[in-house]
Amino acid sequence: MPSLKVLSKKEDLLSSGHRLCPGCGASIIVRQALLASEKPVVVACATGCLEVATTIYPFTAWKTPFIHNAFENAASTLSGVEAAYCSLKKQGKIDKEINFIAFGGDGGTYDIGIQALSGAMERGHNFLYICYDNEAYMNTGIQRSSASPRGAATTTSPVGKAAPEGKQEYRKDLTQIMVAHNSPYVAQASPGYYNDLMKKVEKALSIEGPTFIDVLSPCPRGWRYDASRTIEIAKLAVLTGFWPLYEVENGKYRITYKPKKKRKPFKEWLKSQGRFKHLLKEENKEIVEQLEKRTMEKEKALYALAGEEFL
Amino acid sequence: MGRIVGLTGDETAAEVMRQINPDVLAAYPITPQTETVQRFSEFVADGKVSTEMVRVESEQSAMSACIGAAAAGARAMTATSANGLALMWEIVYIAASCRLPIAMVVVNRALSGPINIHCDHSDSMGARDSGWIQIYSENCQEIYDNLIQAVRIGENREVLLPVMVTFDGFIISHCTERLELLEDKKVRDFVGEYKNSYPLLNVDNPITYGPLDLFDYYFEHKRQQIEAMEKVPQVIQRVGEEFEKLSGRTYSLMEEYKTEDADFILVAAGSTAGTVKTAIEELREEGIKAGLLKIRVFRPFPVAKICQVLKKAKAVAVLDRSASFGAQGGPIFLEVRSALFGEERKLPVINYIYGLGGRDISIEQIKGVYRNLQKIADTGKVKKLVDCIGLRE
């Protein structure tokens, strides 16, 4: 990966002036990802915050070819783009080397778009799918998705007398589902660790076939924290074990960042965001213990898969 | 001269797709379209086309991939039926609004529920407001000819709209008919190369496809779609004339069969038109001046031409192979009757819903329709505006 000095001079393909919220994780992730591509990039995007805030006609923030089709079909739309590229290349009608990246939020990826994504992964198109995972339907007003963690308060899993914990179900582990597709490269990343994220994008783009990176995307509005703290929160997710950074290359697991000395108590993760505020009440003590236990077990299992000792 | 062959409707669609040799074909299997895709897969496997075939996991993804491919700068095609078309619904509209000239074969089949695999037009008729050009085919020869022309019509610079070419499930899709094929080269020269002026793959001139378009521009973009549709009839006419030079077969917005002197005209689309023609022959022997107006292009609906043909008749019956629940009649009837509203002479127009879920329609039943028109002309009274044919009471 080029040095920060070099990268700072590289043109941003997502220009400023878009209408994403201050502190939005998505735009940070997109800029980091696009900076990591040496070749020109064609982007497909699912309906969601990223799309609606960057392409309000007659404006566009994208300085690279961009296509938005619908909510659930970024993967199949990009399948068509990539198939067209292969066809035209085969016929000698295009010779440029191009990278293809799809961006989708967790709603468009974990939920409504999972079929299209699964199909595209199985068919083996040569593209990278990046999920900017802010753990709820933020664009429509913070409704729960299958990526929302257990215990999060959202507008469709609100905290109430009959539901003191907010969302009652554990989140779907999409990264593992993608691993099960035998993709040559699957990873989990966080914009808090830009070098890790960019290296992963760089690696994914260098590998032939369908690759997938799930990037945790802190959302100040939905997670209820001050917009200035996005990177801090993105780091905290990793340091508390909530969002381990790892990659699976041809089935081989590797932990790409080990918190070790910096490891923080899981409760700090909950304390950092308003969406978990209710969990800190005495009556939810047991739930917090369960969440903590499960997080640790999941991380331990991951370390075991990577053949690493969990400290 | 071309080759004379015997092919089913599905095989015909596959054969013409082979000749067109699209850059991308994305499709998902559904009865009765399946054999089109199967046969095309064989062409791909045998290296007879340079097409990249995307074997998608749903029709929703088929249309999504077609949009991606066409935006990228490729000629893209797909094929589907009934529930498949319904599943891609959302994306069907997006294809038209992105002004991407995708060609889609729709093998007409009844929409669920209840589930049924046989022919009616509820699938494509439901998509009549999606912004696609719709061309209905009577037989295998028309499937062949219509698909070749569809590519040119949709890709015309003035038009840039997707085109549906439909034919009747099982009745045509699985029936072997004689047809004449043109030489591969002639077809390829006729369709030419697809040139997207703003291909997504042109990384030197980045384009944003599918932006958010709110109240300050959406309306104007819809107006552009309406205007593009208005240009379609002339383009269809021109492409038809050019195709006639190539094939010797004449095509326009509709087909008239013995309408010049007809007192009684039936309006129909699809394979039933063939049955109507036989009924006409028999009725003419009895001295009844029967005629047929066959709908070829349903979208855009050729209002002026239709009025011109129908206004001389004593009475008209419209056959609809789909119902429009809660409306005054079937979709073709609504269009025809509305078109004739501007005429000075009030012409009796009645509607028959028939053939839902693949129910057969016979020559005798069609003759019965003409006899009813005779009665209406004689008495000046319409007993029933909308009726059904072949319905068990």
Side-chain angles (χ1 to χ4, degrees), chain A residues 53-70:
Chain A
T54 58
T55 67
I56 306 173
Y57 189 88
F59 304 106
T60 180
W62 297 86
K63 294 182 182 175
T64 200
F66 172 97
I67 184 166
H68 157 254
N69 189 341

Side-chain angles (χ1 to χ4, degrees), chain A residues 52 55 57-58 60 63-70 72-73 76-77 80-81 83-84 87 90-91 96 115-116 119 123, chain B residues 23 50 52 54-58 60-61 64-65 68-69 74 90-91 94 200 203-204 206-212 217 221:
Chain A
V52 302
T55 67
Y57 189 88
T60 180
K63 294 182 182 175
T64 200
F66 172 97
I67 184 166
H68 157 254
N69 189 341
E72 66 287 5
N73 62 359
S76 42
T77 304
V81 175
S87 179
K90 191 163 67 182
Q91 297 173 58
K96 271 222 163 82
Q115 177 180 321
R123 288 191 300 272
Chain B
D23 301 308
S50 52
E52 275 292 314
V54 191
R55 282 95 169 174
V56 282
E57 81 299 329
S58 72
Q60 221 267 356
S61 282
S64 303
E90 176 197 19
I91 318 303
I94 295 172
L200 198 61
V203 290
D204 299 322
I207 290 294
T208 288
Y209 269 90
L212 178 67
Y217 286 99
H221 289 137

Side-chain angles (χ1 to χ4, degrees), chain B residues 60-236:
Chain B
Q60 221 267 356
S61 282
M63 189 46 62
S64 303
C66 281
I67 287 177
R75 178 176 282 147
M77 296 180 89
T78 185
T80 193
S81 290
N83 297 33
L85 180 61
L87 187 64
M88 62 168 79
W89 215 257
E90 176 197 19
I91 318 303
V92 167
Y93 278 72
I94 295 172
S97 78
C98 284
R99 306 294 297 276
L100 295 170
I102 296 157
M104 168 158 65
V105 169
V106 176
V107 186
N108 286 120
R109 160 183 154 178
L111 269 177
S112 295
I115 189 166
N116 177 302
I117 56 169
H118 293 284
C119 174
D120 72 33
H121 296 164
S122 52
D123 51 3
S124 56
M125 278 301 164
R128 65 192 185 274
D129 288 338
S130 62
W132 284 60
I133 296 166
Q134 289 194 335
I135 305 179
Y136 287 77
S137 319
E138 180 189 326
N139 51 40
C140 289
Q141 187 69 64
E142 287 192 9
I143 297 168
Y144 182 79
D145 296 345
N146 282 340
L147 261 170
I148 295 170
Q149 293 173 75
V151 172
R152 284 281 305 275
I153 295 162
E155 290 176 11
N156 183 286
R157 314 301 310 163
E158 306 257 289
V159 174
L160 293 178
L161 288 172
V163 190
M164 252 176 237
V165 172
T166 82
F167 55 91
D168 287 354
F170 288 107
I171 301 163
I172 301 300
S173 70
H174 286 61
C175 170
T176 301
E177 288 190 323
R178 174 199 181 278
L179 73 150
E180 188 184 315
L181 304 181
L182 299 163
E183 289 157 29
D184 287 6
K185 193 182 174 308
K186 276 191 178 168
V187 174
R188 282 181 198 182
D189 287 349
F190 185 82
V191 295
E193 206 170 297
Y194 170 52
K195 284 198 185 76
N196 180 332
S197 301
Y198 304 100
L200 198 61
L201 291 179
N202 182 2
V203 290
D204 299 322
N205 182 26
I207 290 294
T208 288
Y209 269 90
L212 178 67
D213 198 20
L214 302 174
F215 41 67
D216 39 5
Y217 286 99
Y218 181 91
F219 205 167
E220 281 72 24
H221 289 137
K222 290 294 133 185
R223 184 181 67 180
Q224 287 178 345
Q225 268 180 263
I226 293 167
E227 286 174 351
M229 264 297 181
E230 285 167 358
K231 289 173 186 156
V232 174
Q234 301 163 24
V235 174
I236 289 181

Side-chain angles (χ1 to χ4, degrees), chain A residues 175-176 178-180 182-188 200 203 207 211-212 245-256 302 305-306:
Chain A
T175 312
Q176 288 302 307
M178 289 298 109
V179 171
N182 296 317
S183 158
Y185 188 81
V186 176
Q188 226 169 251
K200 283 171 177 166
K203 198 182 233 185
I207 292 170
T211 52
F212 176 85
L245 302 183
Y246 71 102
E247 64 183 12
V248 187
E249 196 177 346
N250 292 317
K252 199 174 176 307
Y253 282 73
R254 196 172 75 85
I255 311 292
T256 59
L302 200 61
L305 284 167

Side-chain angles (χ1 to χ4, degrees), chain A residues 5-58:
Chain A
K5 202 173 163 188
V6 174
L7 287 173
S8 69
K9 285 177 186 147
K10 206 172 160 185
E11 192 197 13
D12 251 329
L13 295 177
L14 181 72
S15 70
S16 60
H18 57 69
R19 288 119 190 244
L20 284 161
C21 304
C24 173
S27 54
I28 302 169
I29 293 162
V30 169
R31 288 172 58 233
Q32 290 182 4
L34 294 179
L35 275 175
S37 174
E38 279 178 35
K39 296 176 200 168
V41 185
V42 171
V43 169
C45 189
T47 308
C49 293
L50 178 62
E51 170 263 328
V52 302
T54 58
T55 67
I56 306 173
Y57 189 88

